[in-house]
Amino acid sequence: RVADSLMLLLVLALSYNPSTAATTSPAAPHVKPSYSFGRTFLGLDKCNACIGTSICKKFFKEEIRFDTWLSSHLKLPPSYLLSYSGNYTDDAKSWRLVDITRLTSKYQHDRADKRICTSLLKTKTCSLERALRRTQRFQKWLRAKRLTPDLVQGLSSPMLRCPSQRLLDRIVRRYAEVPDAGSIYMDHLTDRDKLRLLYTLSVNSHPILLQIFPDVEGWPFPRYLGSCGRLAVSASTRPLRDFFGAAPEVVADLALQLLAILHSMGNNDLNYFFYFTHVDAGTFGVFSNGHLFIRDASTLGIIDKEEGSQLADGQQEYKDIFSCLTEDCQSEFVSCNSIGEKHSLVMVCQELLPKLLTGKFQQPVQEKIDSFLQLCADGLTDGQRVNEAAAKLAELLKPLRSCDSRFAYRYPDCKYSDKY
């Protein structure tokens, strides 16, 4: 009986006519249009000269969507943009805003890729990974058990201008693109992982800073969610420039948060001194709850107050292809000894606080604010007077902010606390 059944199935299979079936079968169900990624858009075609692949599945499963994808045509945004607004989900029901960013512009990426091929292999195009693996620096990385200052000397990232062994150990121990080993030794990093880490540090240290100083520990950075190719994903913030025209109580609150962040950057439990090499209207961002964060950490330098720099100024002049991926190799490094505590404060008082606070308050309060701002912005003034001016400005601003639901990060706590 079993043999007869098998024979019947065989006869039916041999007599099956696909063209007949196509005409008689019911219409196929409507297939939901799918978002289509090119490896080039994500930068996956350039791996392992990329940031990583930890969040690629989210992109391909449509659990990360660009804002333009919410419309019917489902087109990817232009690839030449530096950053994109997106939506992220873990359960396909609730979505939250995220920022999707490139380490640098696509033009700069393409220019750097071309430089790698022409300078290392003397060709217009090449395998970036093969070219970079042949370099003397990466060969030293392959042999190294531990990330040491000599392995990062000459890299253009401000974070690595004055490196300490303690800071480099923290990078290896908290590097989020690999399974967490909690070790200062690089045994858990594959050759591919080492190239991705070196490439990221060479181009833009922003995602590394978000990983090693996470927001859950109280550091003023947005949460790092992962990367795919040359795109990094982090929690979304609105740039500070969007608030230059805000109400007086809002700008007073943001200015106070800005001053508090600068103070914490020079005074924290881990004894790291953070300083900016440049600030602009996009350096800081504001979450939907009113909380101010450092939105772009690419211009942050770090000096270890506990260990100090373990590179002499002469060593910083070492240059190779990794020193030139984002800027001209001829640029000079800032001496670690030339950075003072007033450095970032003067910069912010010159560039950002006037745009927030000028012309927002009634006299004589506005006149006092302008006076303290002028003292704080004077780069020729000694550090103590700059700090005093900033402290007086903060005291002046405290009673000018309000306590209501617009400031969810401190409401309703402010109702019951003398601190506010």
Side-chain angles (χ1 to χ4, degrees):
R1 200 174 292 165
V2 172
D4 289 345
S5 299
L6 289 173
M7 183 61 72
L8 178 60
L9 287 172
L10 180 60
V11 170
L12 289 172
L14 290 172
S15 62
Y16 173 73
N17 187 329
S19 60
T20 306
T23 57
T24 57
S25 64
H30 175 68
V31 178
K32 177 187 172 186
S34 181
Y35 306 115
S36 176
F37 276 107
R39 290 169 57 82
T40 303
F41 181 86
L42 292 169
L44 279 171
D45 59 325
K46 304 296 177 64
C47 280
N48 291 305
C50 63
I51 319 175
T53 56
S54 61
I55 211 165
C56 286
K57 284 184 179 178
K58 285 279 186 185
F59 279 105
F60 291 118
K61 289 166 66 178
E62 301 172 20
E63 292 174 349
I64 295 178
R65 299 183 177 185
F66 293 90
D67 273 354
T68 53
W69 285 6
L70 300 181
S71 57
S72 59
H73 52 73
L74 304 176
K75 289 182 180 178
L76 286 172
S79 61
Y80 58 79
L81 297 177
L82 191 59
S83 63
Y84 311 88
S85 179
N87 298 273
Y88 175 102
T89 185
D90 287 317
D91 56 14
K93 295 178 182 177
S94 57
W95 294 81
R96 49 190 167 126
L97 290 174
V98 292
D99 289 331
I100 305 168
T101 56
R102 299 185 186 278
L103 293 187
T104 185
S105 70
K106 189 173 186 304
Y107 169 77
Q108 288 175 302
H109 268 312
D110 292 343
R111 188 179 172 192
D113 293 345
K114 186 175 180 181
R115 188 184 296 131
I116 291 170
C117 293
T118 54
S119 63
L120 297 180
L121 297 182
K122 312 301 179 187
T123 59
K124 290 184 178 180
T125 59
C126 68
S127 164
L128 299 177
E129 180 173 359
R130 190 179 302 123
L132 293 175
R133 285 179 68 93
R134 293 181 181 181
T135 60
Q136 182 180 357
R137 186 191 295 266
F138 187 66
Q139 288 301 312
K140 288 176 68 176
W141 273 62
L142 289 179
R143 296 189 297 270
K145 290 288 185 182
R146 193 174 182 182
L147 186 59
T148 50
D150 62 297
L151 296 177
V152 298
Q153 65 173 298
L155 297 185
S156 62
S157 167
M159 184 180 78
L160 300 172
R161 298 279 173 86
C162 314
S164 69
Q165 188 59 59
R166 187 168 70 115
L167 176 64
L168 298 179
D169 287 344
R170 189 177 182 88
I171 291 173
V172 173
R173 199 171 61 246
R174 293 180 169 228
Y175 182 42
E177 288 300 311
V178 297
D180 181 18
S183 171
I184 62 174
Y185 297 103
M186 295 198 289
D187 297 336
H188 63 294
L189 300 185
T190 64
D191 294 358
R192 175 198 67 193
D193 298 329
K194 288 182 178 180
L195 181 56
R196 290 177 180 178
L197 176 57
L198 173 56
Y199 180 84
T200 308
L201 290 172
S202 302
V203 176
N204 187 332
S205 57
H206 170 78
I208 302 298
L209 271 159
L210 269 54
Q211 293 168 43
I212 66 177
F213 297 108
D215 66 310
V216 292
E217 294 179 5
W219 298 97
F221 302 107
R223 181 165 301 178
Y224 177 78
L225 298 172
S227 63
C228 184
R230 288 180 170 179
L231 292 178
V233 183
S234 58
S236 177
T237 57
R238 286 178 62 192
L240 187 62
R241 69 171 66 88
D242 290 357
F243 296 86
F244 286 164
E249 63 272 19
V250 173
V251 296
D253 183 83
L254 293 175
L256 275 169
Q257 288 191 71
L258 197 48
L259 291 171
I261 283 179
L262 294 183
H263 178 75
S264 69
M265 287 167 59
N267 302 273
N268 52 74
D269 293 342
L270 292 185
N271 265 335
Y272 287 116
F273 172 63
F274 297 79
Y275 66 93
F276 285 102
T277 58
H278 169 78
V279 295
D280 58 38
T283 302
F284 295 88
V286 184
F287 281 125
S288 57
N289 64 359
H291 208 170
L292 184 80
F293 275 67
I294 298 173
R295 188 172 192 255
D296 179 5
S298 63
T299 63
L300 266 183
I302 302 178
I303 294 175
D304 191 334
K305 295 198 291 186
E306 196 169 292
E307 289 189 3
S309 172
Q310 293 175 15
L311 275 183
D313 284 343
Q315 285 180 286
Q316 290 183 359
E317 298 306 316
Y318 173 86
K319 302 282 180 68
D320 66 355
I321 189 64
F322 289 100
S323 311
C324 316
L325 293 182
T326 55
E327 59 183 49
D328 186 359
C329 283
Q330 304 305 314
S331 60
E332 294 296 322
F333 290 122
V334 178
S335 169
C336 301
N337 299 325
S338 68
I339 307 297
E341 291 205 9
K342 71 173 186 178
H343 183 86
S344 297
L345 194 52
V346 169
M347 205 176 290
V348 166
C349 286
Q350 288 176 347
E351 300 295 330
L352 299 181
L353 288 180
K355 295 174 182 175
L356 275 174
L357 300 173
T358 301
K360 292 293 175 65
F361 305 95
Q362 295 184 352
Q363 300 297 356
V365 173
Q366 185 66 59
E367 187 177 351
K368 291 180 181 178
I369 288 175
D370 294 343
S371 175
F372 290 137
L373 273 179
Q374 191 172 0
L375 284 172
C376 176
D378 188 354
L380 299 178
T381 305
D382 65 82
Q384 184 176 347
R385 289 192 65 191
V386 170
N387 287 330
E388 287 174 355
K392 289 178 180 177
L393 178 62
E395 286 301 315
L396 196 60
L397 291 171
K398 281 180 182 177
L400 300 178
R401 39 177 200 174
S402 64
C403 179
D404 59 61
S405 58
R406 286 176 298 171
F407 311 100
Y409 78 96
R410 58 180 174 87
Y411 180 84
D413 295 352
C414 54
K415 274 190 171 184
Y416 312 105
S417 171
D418 294 335
K419 179 181 175 184
Y420 299 104

